[in-house]
Amino acid sequence: MAATVRVPCVAAGSDLCNARPSRLGRKAARRGKPSLGASASYGQGQALRRCNGYSSRLRRTPQLLPYAVLKPVVEGDSPDNELEEIRESMEAILAAPSASARREEIRKEISDGEYASLRGEFDREKLIGFFARRPVVVARRISVIARRANALNKLWKKEESLPASERTRGGALKETLTELGPVFVKIGQTLAERPDIVGDEAAAQLKTLQVANKPFENEIAFHIIAEDLKWDGPLAPDHPYQGEDSTRKPLFKKLTHEPIAAASLGQVYKAETWEGVEVAVKVQRPGVLKQVALDWTCWALGLEMLRRFWGSDVDLSEIADEVAVGVWKELDYRTEAANAQEFIRRHAFLGFVTAPKWLPEFSGPEGACRVLSSEWVKGAHLSNLPQERKLLLVQRAVEACVAQLLYTGYVHADPHEGNLMLCEDGRLAFLDFGLMSTVEPRIMEGFAQGIQYMIAGNWDGLVRVFREVGFTSEKPEKLDKATGLYVVCEPEELVEAVRTTLEGEEGGQSRFGALATGLTKLSADFKFLTPPYIVLLCRTFLTLEGIAEKADPDFNIYMASLPYAIKRALSPVTDEGTAALRSALLKPDNAIRWERLNEIIEQAEAAKTEEEEKLEEVKESSNNVDMAAVSGVLGTLEGAALRRVGYDACSLSLAKHLTSRQGRKLREQGIRMMAQLMVDFFNSRKEKEIPAARVELLETSPEYAEIMKKQQLRQNRALQVLLFGHLRRLRTGGIQGLVCLCSLVFVAMRMTFLSLVHASWDIVSTGASNGYLAVLRFLGSKKSETRQHTPRLES
């Protein structure tokens, strides 16, 4: 008697199978050994008994077991090996959870659970209260961090004497930071740019954290996309994730099955919308909220213990708060999108800075956004560029970051290689706007002064800036080695210590890293404070300097920052800065301090000369962006203080200096500027095609063109007001004023004539050079044609 099998409609989700073995098989089983003719029935009986055992569990599973698989059993002609395969198929089905069960399992995994209440704005008190009720969790995390740090420290010391090629500590450092989570990965990304701190071998290992973090499971990422976008259909045609309703039109036209890149907080997939727009879909890692909250708590506790150990009155936990606020904002990708828009708005005046535009319809909900879709950037990272393009990326990255730190105050605090791309059109694209920092105007003005003092070697002024920006207290304090307490010391003592330390450091007046190292050494004897903002800003400058040194070993961070330092010094926004500018440029009787003005002009010329040398190296001198960044201050909104100083300046003092021997340098500057304006006017009137190879460097955003247009109009109006105001004062200033006015008119006529001569010479020489090159190209092409048509002689 053959076994009978009932196979119901599986799609309906009912019983999959009920199987009953034959009577002959049951008898053979009871006897303990099969008869000669019953072996097949006995084997079938064993397999089918297993099937019977599975049937109750199979009723609760929606997977299919096709009738074709069981047909041989139904007809009783299946050999033992096929029955064994059937058993294995059933076990595989039972081992795998159902689709609905798996979805529920993933939902629990990607859910924040009890940590969901921590989403939103960073709240220190809420976090402290939350983890106060979970001391075991905190203790366990501290234990893990301490254990990993101790093991790494032992390995680091053990391999200190080994050759670099035999060391494994760099890889161990990378693995440790990766396993500890996103906060530690960000630390590793910063250290990757500082081989002077961790060594070349470790820096090379950590560099992979910038572009290739360990990704998480694709299945989880796809569920996060579907859940955040509230989508229950397929994500794309022929995609692994088909959702609960596979009959719906897919969300995207295309979506990669694997991530294109993985970062510390998420990973990126490339997609294409049905309208043909290429999109980067960024998905947040599951459990990242818990990790960040827990690591902040551990860090805050550690800093508080350190404060008590040092006996310091400074609340060091504010440092942890400053970093946590930045990282916390990264957890809501909508905040990142808003940051990117604000970044573009504030830096549109640069002309070459861009960022991907986000697509809100393909992004998660506000307040808990874990999926961010933005336009795909077509470009390359630093490591994938030829040397000339590397220099261009570095030059533009330095200018953009310095402008952020010293001029706009809106700083991208994570500018590592993975977040910078040189676009195909020559623009610099910033990525990942989760970690941003805002610099107060007084801090920007202090930094601008400090950069000028560093270059000039004015250590007294540098120490004064330290006090103004909060690095030191109002009165410097020195450690008394006998009592272990800090006592007030004379400012001159700290000035001398700063001078000796920085002059003894390699690159002490050219590298920010050397300044950081020097201050660390000084902190052993003097009391230095750590303002909360300094952590992110130091990360920005150290990372930027590390990138720049790879393309230019002689890179000087202070000379690169000088143009914007001068621009910030000339356009203060605080009352203190305005008063400082006025006292620096005008005497109490409003006479101009020409020595200070000449110093500013010399610094601007030095910066412009160095920048022109860099541009010549990369053969990009045709760039129409004014890299000196000093001209045009009068036309900016922030130039109100400078315009007021220029208007209040004594007209007689100004006219006498411009017509005297001491004013020769200013007159030469004026002649060059007028000549350049004439050349630009001639070129704009001349209709000629721009070479295709240079188009990419002349392209700027429409926002930049509009800003420059408004700035030029403001500058022209300001110059008109200043010019006619001073001329009116001279005309009404008696005989002395009239004499100065006549001298000024004569000087202006002479300058105009010389400018015309210079401009004419530039135009003629440029035309002659272009003609000579055209003739050479023509002769070269003719020569190649002659070679092609000349028959070869037979040997």
Side-chain angles (χ1 to χ4, degrees), residues 319-489:
I319 300 173
D321 292 355
E322 184 75 14
V323 176
V325 168
V327 177
W328 210 263
K329 290 178 179 178
E330 287 193 77
L331 301 180
D332 182 5
Y333 280 170
R334 289 248 173 180
T335 302
E336 179 178 338
N339 289 343
Q341 290 179 316
E342 179 67 11
F343 183 85
I344 289 297
R345 186 188 69 79
R346 292 203 192 189
H347 300 96
F349 72 93
L350 290 170
F352 58 82
V353 170
T354 186
K357 296 179 181 178
W358 74 298
L359 286 72
E361 64 272 25
F362 294 109
S363 300
E366 189 171 355
C369 179
R370 298 174 296 173
V371 176
L372 177 65
S373 296
S374 54
E375 292 182 354
W376 188 263
V377 177
K378 295 181 179 178
H381 294 287
L382 181 69
S383 57
N384 298 324
L385 291 170
Q387 184 62 25
E388 289 184 1
R389 305 284 286 180
K390 282 183 180 180
L391 290 171
L392 179 61
L393 183 148
V394 166
Q395 172 251 315
R396 292 191 164 177
V398 168
E399 183 181 357
C401 290
V402 169
Q404 296 165 41
L405 182 62
L406 299 180
Y407 195 65
T408 67
Y410 196 62
V411 182
H412 189 297
D414 203 13
H416 59 72
E417 284 186 40
N419 286 339
L420 296 173
M421 293 183 74
L422 190 65
C423 299
E424 293 176 355
D425 61 3
R427 290 184 296 169
L428 177 70
F430 281 82
L431 309 175
D432 192 356
F433 292 87
L435 196 59
M436 305 294 292
S437 181
T438 302
V439 188
E440 296 178 14
R442 68 177 186 87
I443 302 299
M444 287 192 285
E445 291 167 11
F447 281 175
Q449 292 176 359
I451 288 169
Q452 296 177 69
Y453 292 148
M454 281 291 295
I455 293 173
N458 185 344
W459 309 115
D460 183 66
L462 185 62
V463 170
R464 186 169 65 252
V465 168
F466 285 169
R467 183 175 65 251
E468 291 172 356
V469 300
F471 280 176
T472 63
S473 52
E474 279 297 316
K475 295 181 179 180
E477 298 179 37
K478 186 177 181 180
L479 181 66
D480 186 345
K481 300 293 178 66
T483 62
L485 301 175
Y486 286 102
V487 295
V488 176
C489 64

